[in-house]
Amino acid sequence: MNGHLNFEEGWKVLEQGIVKCSKILECTSTRPTVAEYMNYYEMAVQKQDYCREMYNGFKTTLSDCVRAMVLPHLMHKKNDSFFRELVKMWSNYAIMVRCVTGFFSYLDRCYVEQYKLPSLSDAAATSFFGPVFSYFGDEVRTALLTMIRQERDGNNMDLKCFLDVMHGICRSEVKTLMQNAVLQDTYDYYSIRSSEWIVHYSLPDYLAKVQESMEKETNRLAYYLNISSDESFDLCLQAVNAPLMETYDSYASEKQIGGQLLLQTYKTVEEELLDRCSSLTLGGCSGSNSFD
């Protein structure tokens, strides 16, 4: 390997490797040969001085590939057709990234860890979902939130495809956008349910529904958002418990139910929720489409 190449000359070689792998997105290419792979890898590790440039180039080149080869496939797609195309492109991209990150594995070991940067896999997820959300954020959110509501209401959904996409998003820098959308939709869902339940159930039964909903949603959000049960429980206090108990407060005030009874009710509900949720062991889970 020529050790005297400058960064620009060496990067051209690496770009060729990324472009070759990018053809996987359209199923028109095979993986690099062993000789090509070693050539790209040796180029990537030739000089430590270029780590920052290679890391940034890795992210930028992947984003360019997504804009050029993924976004056109999502154009003019709606609803289920859009989501299935997104799943296919994300799946192909995951295969592509597993090839490409092999060239740059030196960066994960020596550069990323030293400077506390997102791993190559997480950076690659951002390079995919960043452009996708920029152009199709509403479509992605609508598709995923619709599937969550379907599952919540007892209907079937394609859980594998859902988790592949959702957990990919949760590895990227758009995670907060998606998490906020899920929490707002969850809040809206239980605001509607609370108005139905408060007139349909007795107060003890209503509070039992609050408890049941908190338990289910703590598990659901931990699984979907790939977070710990403790973090999920805190989010559910805002998105599930808050709208349900706001309706309870309003109803109790309207019916002039005594404050002492309300205080005891809150205490009982809080104690039962904390007791039940403290035993939850479900943590974050990973989808099947992993770069690692």
Side-chain angles (χ1 to χ4, degrees):
M1 190 73 204
N2 186 347
H4 299 288
L5 293 177
N6 60 32
F7 173 74
E8 289 73 18
E9 293 170 329
W11 182 251
K12 288 180 181 178
V13 177
L14 289 169
E15 271 192 319
Q16 292 173 6
I18 296 175
V19 169
K20 181 178 179 68
C21 291
S22 72
K23 302 300 182 182
I24 295 173
L25 287 169
E26 297 180 329
C27 302
T28 59
S29 175
T30 57
R31 302 185 184 193
T33 65
V34 173
E36 289 174 325
Y37 196 93
M38 291 305 300
N39 183 38
Y40 302 140
Y41 178 78
E42 290 172 9
M43 180 61 65
V45 301
Q46 66 171 332
K47 284 183 182 286
Q48 294 186 24
D49 295 343
Y50 297 146
C51 286
R52 179 173 61 85
E53 290 85 352
M54 285 192 294
Y55 183 79
N56 291 334
F58 169 84
K59 296 189 297 180
T60 300
T61 304
L62 288 181
S63 294
D64 290 343
C65 289
V66 169
R67 292 187 183 94
M69 306 178 72
V70 173
L71 300 188
H73 284 267
L74 300 175
M75 294 287 187
H76 311 303
K77 298 281 195 310
K78 300 292 183 182
N79 303 323
D80 186 63
S81 176
F82 172 87
F83 184 72
R84 293 194 177 280
E85 190 66 26
L86 177 64
V87 169
K88 185 182 78 171
M89 299 308 296
W90 171 241
S91 178
N92 291 346
Y93 180 81
I95 297 171
M96 166 196 162
V97 168
R98 282 197 291 271
C99 293
V100 172
T101 51
F103 311 157
F104 297 90
S105 58
Y106 170 83
L107 294 179
D108 257 345
R109 295 196 306 271
C110 301
Y111 178 69
V112 168
E113 184 174 345
Q114 179 182 357
Y115 290 97
K116 309 301 181 185
L117 297 170
S119 68
L120 292 179
S121 295
D122 290 351
T126 296
S127 292
F128 183 92
F129 286 107
V132 167
F133 264 68
S134 292
Y135 287 88
F136 302 105
D138 289 343
E139 289 85 346
V140 176
R141 283 187 288 265
T142 297
L144 293 174
L145 294 177
T146 297
M147 296 179 78
I148 291 175
R149 286 202 174 209
Q150 288 174 343
E151 186 274 334
R152 186 182 280 134
D153 287 333
N155 299 313
N156 293 328
M157 72 167 180
D158 191 332
L159 184 61
K160 178 183 180 301
C161 289
F162 172 86
L163 290 178
D164 281 348
V165 172
M166 181 64 85
H167 286 180
I169 291 172
C170 289
R171 299 189 67 166
S172 75
E173 292 178 4
V174 303
K175 173 182 179 178
T176 301
L177 292 175
M178 192 66 232
Q179 179 173 292
N180 289 342
V182 171
L183 294 179
Q184 183 60 56
D185 193 69
T186 302
Y187 185 97
D188 294 343
Y189 177 89
Y190 281 102
S191 292
I192 295 172
R193 287 291 176 267
S194 69
S195 298
E196 300 171 352
W197 293 347
I198 199 68
V199 296
H200 182 76
Y201 295 106
S202 66
L203 290 184
D205 287 344
Y206 180 90
L207 294 175
K209 294 291 290 184
V210 174
Q211 181 176 301
E212 177 188 3
S213 299
M214 278 293 295
E215 292 173 3
K216 287 183 177 180
E217 291 299 333
T218 296
N219 280 279
R220 179 176 285 114
L221 295 189
Y223 191 37
Y224 290 172
L225 299 178
N226 209 16
I227 57 180
S228 70
S229 293
D230 287 343
E231 185 177 358
S232 180
F233 177 74
D234 289 340
L235 294 177
C236 285
L237 285 176
Q238 306 169 38
V240 180
N241 191 67
L244 291 175
M245 295 310 293
E246 284 169 7
T247 298
Y248 183 88
D249 284 346
S250 177
Y251 181 86
S253 176
E254 179 184 341
K255 299 298 182 181
Q256 297 183 338
I257 297 176
Q260 187 61 38
L261 175 59
L262 282 178
L263 182 63
Q264 182 59 43
T265 297
Y266 275 127
K267 183 178 179 180
T268 301
V269 171
E270 180 181 26
E271 289 175 350
E272 290 182 354
L273 283 174
L274 290 174
D275 180 61
R276 287 176 178 254
C277 292
S278 65
S279 66
L280 293 174
T281 59
L282 178 61
C285 303
S286 296
S288 59
N289 270 342
S290 173
F291 300 137
D292 301 328

PDB file of all heavy atoms in Angstrom, residues 128-140:
ATOM      1  N   PHE A 128     -29.021   7.829   7.472  1.00  0.00           N
ATOM      2  CA  PHE A 128     -30.209   7.331   6.775  1.00  0.00           C
ATOM      3  C   PHE A 128     -31.459   8.104   7.201  1.00  0.00           C
ATOM      4  O   PHE A 128     -32.159   8.696   6.372  1.00  0.00           O
ATOM      5  CB  PHE A 128     -30.406   5.843   7.064  1.00  0.00           C
ATOM      6  CG  PHE A 128     -31.561   5.226   6.326  1.00  0.00           C
ATOM      7  CD1 PHE A 128     -31.381   4.636   5.087  1.00  0.00           C
ATOM      8  CD2 PHE A 128     -32.842   5.218   6.878  1.00  0.00           C
ATOM      9  CE1 PHE A 128     -32.442   4.050   4.401  1.00  0.00           C
ATOM     10  CE2 PHE A 128     -33.915   4.652   6.204  1.00  0.00           C
ATOM     11  CZ  PHE A 128     -33.708   4.069   4.953  1.00  0.00           C
ATOM     12  N   PHE A 129     -31.724   8.125   8.492  1.00  0.00           N
ATOM     13  CA  PHE A 129     -32.993   8.697   8.955  1.00  0.00           C
ATOM     14  C   PHE A 129     -32.987  10.220   8.991  1.00  0.00           C
ATOM     15  O   PHE A 129     -34.064  10.828   8.981  1.00  0.00           O
ATOM     16  CB  PHE A 129     -33.358   8.117  10.318  1.00  0.00           C
ATOM     17  CG  PHE A 129     -33.839   6.702  10.247  1.00  0.00           C
ATOM     18  CD1 PHE A 129     -33.046   5.656  10.689  1.00  0.00           C
ATOM     19  CD2 PHE A 129     -35.072   6.408   9.699  1.00  0.00           C
ATOM     20  CE1 PHE A 129     -33.477   4.342  10.605  1.00  0.00           C
ATOM     21  CE2 PHE A 129     -35.523   5.094   9.599  1.00  0.00           C
ATOM     22  CZ  PHE A 129     -34.727   4.060  10.052  1.00  0.00           C
ATOM     23  N   GLY A 130     -31.802  10.838   9.022  1.00  0.00           N
ATOM     24  CA  GLY A 130     -31.749  12.291   8.933  1.00  0.00           C
ATOM     25  C   GLY A 130     -32.370  12.796   7.639  1.00  0.00           C
ATOM     26  O   GLY A 130     -33.333  13.569   7.658  1.00  0.00           O
ATOM     27  N   PRO A 131     -31.858  12.370   6.468  1.00  0.00           N
ATOM     28  CA  PRO A 131     -32.474  12.774   5.200  1.00  0.00           C
ATOM     29  C   PRO A 131     -33.920  12.300   5.049  1.00  0.00           C
ATOM     30  O   PRO A 131     -34.761  13.022   4.521  1.00  0.00           O
ATOM     31  CB  PRO A 131     -31.565  12.126   4.150  1.00  0.00           C
ATOM     32  CG  PRO A 131     -30.250  11.955   4.820  1.00  0.00           C
ATOM     33  CD  PRO A 131     -30.581  11.654   6.257  1.00  0.00           C
ATOM     34  N   VAL A 132     -34.202  11.074   5.499  1.00  0.00           N
ATOM     35  CA  VAL A 132     -35.564  10.552   5.359  1.00  0.00           C
ATOM     36  C   VAL A 132     -36.555  11.410   6.140  1.00  0.00           C
ATOM     37  O   VAL A 132     -37.626  11.763   5.632  1.00  0.00           O
ATOM     38  CB  VAL A 132     -35.634   9.084   5.827  1.00  0.00           C
ATOM     39  CG1 VAL A 132     -37.089   8.627   5.988  1.00  0.00           C
ATOM     40  CG2 VAL A 132     -34.921   8.170   4.827  1.00  0.00           C
ATOM     41  N   PHE A 133     -36.206  11.801   7.369  1.00  0.00           N
ATOM     42  CA  PHE A 133     -37.091  12.638   8.166  1.00  0.00           C
ATOM     43  C   PHE A 133     -37.182  14.052   7.605  1.00  0.00           C
ATOM     44  O   PHE A 133     -38.215  14.709   7.738  1.00  0.00           O
ATOM     45  CB  PHE A 133     -36.634  12.670   9.623  1.00  0.00           C
ATOM     46  CG  PHE A 133     -37.341  11.678  10.505  1.00  0.00           C
ATOM     47  CD1 PHE A 133     -37.137  10.321  10.336  1.00  0.00           C
ATOM     48  CD2 PHE A 133     -38.231  12.092  11.482  1.00  0.00           C
ATOM     49  CE1 PHE A 133     -37.783   9.391  11.129  1.00  0.00           C
ATOM     50  CE2 PHE A 133     -38.899  11.168  12.277  1.00  0.00           C
ATOM     51  CZ  PHE A 133     -38.681   9.814  12.099  1.00  0.00           C
ATOM     52  N   SER A 134     -36.112  14.527   6.988  1.00  0.00           N
ATOM     53  CA  SER A 134     -36.148  15.870   6.411  1.00  0.00           C
ATOM     54  C   SER A 134     -37.184  15.973   5.306  1.00  0.00           C
ATOM     55  O   SER A 134     -37.852  16.998   5.143  1.00  0.00           O
ATOM     56  CB  SER A 134     -34.764  16.248   5.862  1.00  0.00           C
ATOM     57  OG  SER A 134     -33.830  16.406   6.909  1.00  0.00           O
ATOM     58  N   TYR A 135     -37.325  14.893   4.533  1.00  0.00           N
ATOM     59  CA  TYR A 135     -38.243  14.913   3.394  1.00  0.00           C
ATOM     60  C   TYR A 135     -39.574  14.220   3.696  1.00  0.00           C
ATOM     61  O   TYR A 135     -40.610  14.600   3.136  1.00  0.00           O
ATOM     62  CB  TYR A 135     -37.583  14.234   2.185  1.00  0.00           C
ATOM     63  CG  TYR A 135     -36.501  15.058   1.538  1.00  0.00           C
ATOM     64  CD1 TYR A 135     -35.188  14.978   1.986  1.00  0.00           C
ATOM     65  CD2 TYR A 135     -36.774  15.929   0.487  1.00  0.00           C
ATOM     66  CE1 TYR A 135     -34.177  15.741   1.405  1.00  0.00           C
ATOM     67  CE2 TYR A 135     -35.780  16.688  -0.107  1.00  0.00           C
ATOM     68  CZ  TYR A 135     -34.490  16.593   0.353  1.00  0.00           C
ATOM     69  OH  TYR A 135     -33.494  17.344  -0.214  1.00  0.00           O
ATOM     70  N   PHE A 136     -39.557  13.194   4.530  1.00  0.00           N
ATOM     71  CA  PHE A 136     -40.752  12.375   4.732  1.00  0.00           C
ATOM     72  C   PHE A 136     -41.062  12.165   6.212  1.00  0.00           C
ATOM     73  O   PHE A 136     -41.614  11.129   6.581  1.00  0.00           O
ATOM     74  CB  PHE A 136     -40.568  11.005   4.057  1.00  0.00           C
ATOM     75  CG  PHE A 136     -40.286  11.068   2.590  1.00  0.00           C
ATOM     76  CD1 PHE A 136     -39.000  10.840   2.108  1.00  0.00           C
ATOM     77  CD2 PHE A 136     -41.295  11.367   1.682  1.00  0.00           C
ATOM     78  CE1 PHE A 136     -38.731  10.900   0.749  1.00  0.00           C
ATOM     79  CE2 PHE A 136     -41.036  11.430   0.326  1.00  0.00           C
ATOM     80  CZ  PHE A 136     -39.744  11.200  -0.154  1.00  0.00           C
ATOM     81  N   GLY A 137     -40.731  13.161   7.042  1.00  0.00           N
ATOM     82  CA  GLY A 137     -40.946  13.011   8.476  1.00  0.00           C
ATOM     83  C   GLY A 137     -42.396  12.741   8.844  1.00  0.00           C
ATOM     84  O   GLY A 137     -42.690  11.864   9.661  1.00  0.00           O
ATOM     85  N   ASP A 138     -43.323  13.461   8.237  1.00  0.00           N
ATOM     86  CA  ASP A 138     -44.744  13.268   8.544  1.00  0.00           C
ATOM     87  C   ASP A 138     -45.205  11.868   8.156  1.00  0.00           C
ATOM     88  O   ASP A 138     -45.963  11.220   8.902  1.00  0.00           O
ATOM     89  CB  ASP A 138     -45.598  14.308   7.804  1.00  0.00           C
ATOM     90  CG  ASP A 138     -45.436  15.701   8.384  1.00  0.00           C
ATOM     91  OD1 ASP A 138     -44.936  15.816   9.525  1.00  0.00           O
ATOM     92  OD2 ASP A 138     -45.792  16.677   7.700  1.00  0.00           O
ATOM     93  N   GLU A 139     -44.737  11.398   7.001  1.00  0.00           N
ATOM     94  CA  GLU A 139     -45.146  10.063   6.545  1.00  0.00           C
ATOM     95  C   GLU A 139     -44.618   8.968   7.466  1.00  0.00           C
ATOM     96  O   GLU A 139     -45.335   8.003   7.790  1.00  0.00           O
ATOM     97  CB  GLU A 139     -44.644   9.819   5.109  1.00  0.00           C
ATOM     98  CG  GLU A 139     -45.356  10.638   4.048  1.00  0.00           C
ATOM     99  CD  GLU A 139     -44.779  12.017   3.854  1.00  0.00           C
ATOM    100  OE1 GLU A 139     -43.986  12.472   4.723  1.00  0.00           O
ATOM    101  OE2 GLU A 139     -45.095  12.662   2.841  1.00  0.00           O
ATOM    102  N   VAL A 140     -43.365   9.107   7.900  1.00  0.00           N
ATOM    103  CA  VAL A 140     -42.786   8.107   8.801  1.00  0.00           C
ATOM    104  C   VAL A 140     -43.516   8.100  10.132  1.00  0.00           C
ATOM    105  O   VAL A 140     -43.902   7.036  10.645  1.00  0.00           O
ATOM    106  CB  VAL A 140     -41.280   8.372   9.021  1.00  0.00           C
ATOM    107  CG1 VAL A 140     -40.716   7.389  10.038  1.00  0.00           C
ATOM    108  CG2 VAL A 140     -40.513   8.262   7.708  1.00  0.00           C
TER     109      VAL A 140
END
